[in-house]
């Protein structure tokens, strides 16, 4: 079909056909969704790419979220998370400064790495609670974290290569990335509760992270649901607000990761590891402790 249209176009109006082909080629470079809704958009020369001014500048929020962790966090993994969060800021700027399809991949790669760091430590906490230690356990959590980050990037790329709409690609990526964050959050919630520190600063950090990511998600629905960029949404740079809220979440997650890492180290100490209950998982024990009536409450 496209070959016949191209041949007809070339025969009837070669100049118009060439212009159409050039426009199509430029459009193919772009990642097309409604991130730019409410933003100031400037063309990038004659490349067909666009500069989303507020979205690009608000990407600095991720650098502001990650940089303090580099020198304030106590554990190496939390400091590495902070450094990679600075990479998220650079990747986000690269994408919104060009709106290119390749820029989208550059945007999500460091995000997938930060999520993998959280998954790694979350699985570690569950392993220690279950009494699984040693090199085999470490290899397992490395493989899980690596696999999660790989597929988090590979699946969106595969969908793009298959010609799936970019809004759908963004939605799938958000679901995968959000699921990794949710798994980490649930693990932290259970571990902090079990260890009796949920009502302190770790619980506050976790609550702020959850609240801000939900607020940010509400500002970014139009990015993966086509047709919502109309009315009042065109007057506000909502995706930039997603950057603001999600950067707060990212910063709090860094401190939660730091706390969880120190807690896992304490749990691994011989004196504490001997006290761990065996046989039931952490979730089962929490259910029995708090959600099922005991024989003494009848």
């Amino acid at each position: 079909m496209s070959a016949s249209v191209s041949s007809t176009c070339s025969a009837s109006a070669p100049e118009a056909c060439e212009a159409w082909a050039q426009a199509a080629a430029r459009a193919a470079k772009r990642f097309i969704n409604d991130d730019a809704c409410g933003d100031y958009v400037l063309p990038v020369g004659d490349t067909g790419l666009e500069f989303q001014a507020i979205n690009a500048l608000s990407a600095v929020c991720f650098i502001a979220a990650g940089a303090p962790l580099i020198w304030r966090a106590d554990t190496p993994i939390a400091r590495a998370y902070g450094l990679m969060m600075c990479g998220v800021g650079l990747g986000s700027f690269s994408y919104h400064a060009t709106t290119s399809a390749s820029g989208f991949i550059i945007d999500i790669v460091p995000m997938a790495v930060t999520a993998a760091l959280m998954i790694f430590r979350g699985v570690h906490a569950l392993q220690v609670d279950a009494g699984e230690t040693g090199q085999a356990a470490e290899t397992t959590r490395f493989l899980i974290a690596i696999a999660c980050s790989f597929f988090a990037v590979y699946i969106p790329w595969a969908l793009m290569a298959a010609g799936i709409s970019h809004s759908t690609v963004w939605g799938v990526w958000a679901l995968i990335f959000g699921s990794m964050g949710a798994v980490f959050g649930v693990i932290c919630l259970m571990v902090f509760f079990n260890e009796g520190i949920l009502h302190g600063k770790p619980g506050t950090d976790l609550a702020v992270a959850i609240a801000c990511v939900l607020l940010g998600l509400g500002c970014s629905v139009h990015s993966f649901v086509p047709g919502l960029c109309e009315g009042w949404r065109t007057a506000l740079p909502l995706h930039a607000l997603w950057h603001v809220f999600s950067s707060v979440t990212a910063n709090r997650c860094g401190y939660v990761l730091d706390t969880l890492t120190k807690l896992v180290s304490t749990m691994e100490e011989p004196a504490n590891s001997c006290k761990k209950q065996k046989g039931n998982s952490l979730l089962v024990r929490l259910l029995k402790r708090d959600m099922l009536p005991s024989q003494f409450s009848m």
Side-chain angles (χ1 to χ4, degrees):
M1 183 67 176
S2 60
S4 61
V5 171
S6 178
S7 60
T8 303
C9 180
S10 299
S12 59
E15 294 181 357
C17 182
E18 182 179 357
W20 175 85
Q22 291 176 351
R26 287 194 295 268
K29 298 178 181 179
R30 289 177 53 207
F31 187 87
I32 303 173
N33 68 348
D34 285 335
D35 280 357
C37 188
D39 203 344
Y40 294 101
V41 180
L42 304 172
V44 181
D46 60 351
T47 63
L49 303 178
E50 296 176 344
F51 178 82
Q52 300 172 1
I54 302 178
N55 286 345
L57 295 177
S58 63
V60 73
C61 291
F62 295 109
I63 298 177
L69 291 166
I70 298 175
W71 61 80
R72 290 181 182 174
D74 295 323
T75 59
I77 192 171
R79 291 194 291 270
Y81 172 93
L83 180 61
M84 188 52 61
M85 190 53 61
C86 294
V88 170
L90 181 60
S92 180
F93 175 83
S94 300
Y95 164 55
H96 291 293
T98 61
T99 64
S100 62
S102 59
F104 173 74
I105 299 298
I106 295 298
D107 185 17
I108 68 175
V109 165
M111 296 172 69
V113 174
T114 59
L117 291 173
M118 294 189 293
I119 290 291
F120 175 84
R121 190 57 75 209
V123 173
H124 188 187
L126 295 180
Q127 288 177 321
V128 171
D129 181 81
E132 298 179 7
T133 58
Q135 292 185 350
E138 184 177 23
T139 300
T140 298
R141 58 181 176 265
F142 266 121
L143 290 176
I144 291 174
I146 292 170
C148 286
S149 62
F150 173 77
F151 285 108
V153 176
Y154 183 83
I155 291 175
W157 172 85
L159 293 176
M160 291 170 62
I164 304 300
S165 73
H166 291 168
S167 294
T168 300
V169 172
W170 201 104
V172 170
W173 152 251
L175 177 62
I176 297 172
F177 179 69
S179 297
M180 294 170 71
V183 168
F184 175 73
V186 170
I187 292 173
C188 290
L189 184 65
M190 293 192 301
V191 173
F192 291 171
F193 181 83
N194 189 60
E195 297 297 323
I197 64 172
L198 185 60
H199 297 292
K201 185 177 182 299
T204 301
D205 287 337
L206 194 57
V208 171
I210 294 171
C212 286
V213 78
L214 291 177
L215 288 171
L217 185 62
C219 294
S220 197
V221 175
H222 64 281
S223 293
F224 53 89
V225 179
L228 292 184
C229 184
E230 57 184 17
W232 63 270
R233 287 187 176 89
T234 61
L236 294 173
L238 291 175
H239 193 79
L241 292 178
W242 156 255
H243 286 172
V244 174
F245 285 120
S246 61
S247 66
V248 174
T249 293
N251 176 264
R252 293 300 94 185
C253 281
Y255 287 110
V256 170
L257 177 62
D258 197 35
T259 300
L260 182 64
T261 301
K262 290 184 286 186
L263 186 59
V264 168
S265 296
T266 301
M267 292 165 63
E268 283 183 314
E269 293 176 358
N272 293 320
S273 61
C274 293
K275 300 178 184 179
K276 294 299 174 185
Q277 301 178 24
K278 302 299 188 295
N280 288 330
S281 69
L282 175 59
L283 179 59
V284 171
R285 298 203 309 273
L286 291 177
L287 288 172
K288 286 184 175 181
R289 181 196 302 177
D290 301 288
M291 297 183 183
L292 299 179
S294 70
Q295 59 181 337
F296 301 104
S297 62
M298 297 300 183

